[in-house]
Amino acid sequence: MSDTLREKEKRKLLMRVRRIRGQLDAVERRLEEDASCSSVLQQAAACRGALDGFIAEVIEDHILENFVDRTSKRDDTRVQAAEELVEIVHSYFK
């Protein structure tokens, strides 16, 4: 993976982490405000979804960086297997 691509992925992941932090702050505010359980749970579920998305992205980046030769053609069986694995990971974390 080129340094430019790596930096782009890093920035994307950092933005996700910042959004997750904001969502966690919202959970904390709800608790401090004595909000209803359903409101707290709804915000917590949003955090969980955001964290699952983050985890899926990190796994995808790892697979593509370490198991796929970027110069390989898309019809290479290893590339296809890696793409299939990425799809499975994303479906698991949805």
Side-chain angles (χ1 to χ4, degrees):
M1 184 181 289
S2 70
D3 288 337
T4 305
L5 189 54
R6 190 171 285 136
E7 279 300 313
K8 181 180 176 185
E9 292 299 316
K10 179 180 174 180
R11 283 192 308 273
K12 183 174 72 171
L13 291 173
L14 285 170
M15 290 302 295
R16 276 183 175 266
V17 167
R18 290 177 184 129
R19 282 193 302 272
I20 292 166
R21 183 181 301 126
Q23 289 174 312
L24 285 171
D25 290 343
V27 170
E28 183 178 2
R29 282 191 304 276
R30 297 265 186 335
L31 291 170
E32 289 173 346
E33 297 165 353
D34 289 325
S36 67
C37 289
S38 63
S39 177
V40 173
L41 286 171
Q42 184 177 22
Q43 193 63 48
C47 292
R48 181 178 175 184
L51 190 55
D52 284 350
F54 172 79
I55 291 168
E57 284 295 321
V58 172
I59 293 171
E60 176 182 352
D61 290 348
H62 181 74
I63 291 167
L64 296 177
E65 185 174 330
N66 293 290
F67 298 102
V68 175
D69 180 358
R70 295 279 180 181
T71 63
S72 296
K73 297 184 187 231
R74 289 189 57 87
D75 62 349
D76 182 316
T77 57
R78 290 171 289 192
V79 171
Q80 291 174 352
E83 289 175 351
E84 183 178 317
L85 181 56
V86 166
E87 286 179 31
I88 291 167
V89 167
H90 278 283
S91 68
Y92 177 78
F93 283 103
K94 284 188 177 182

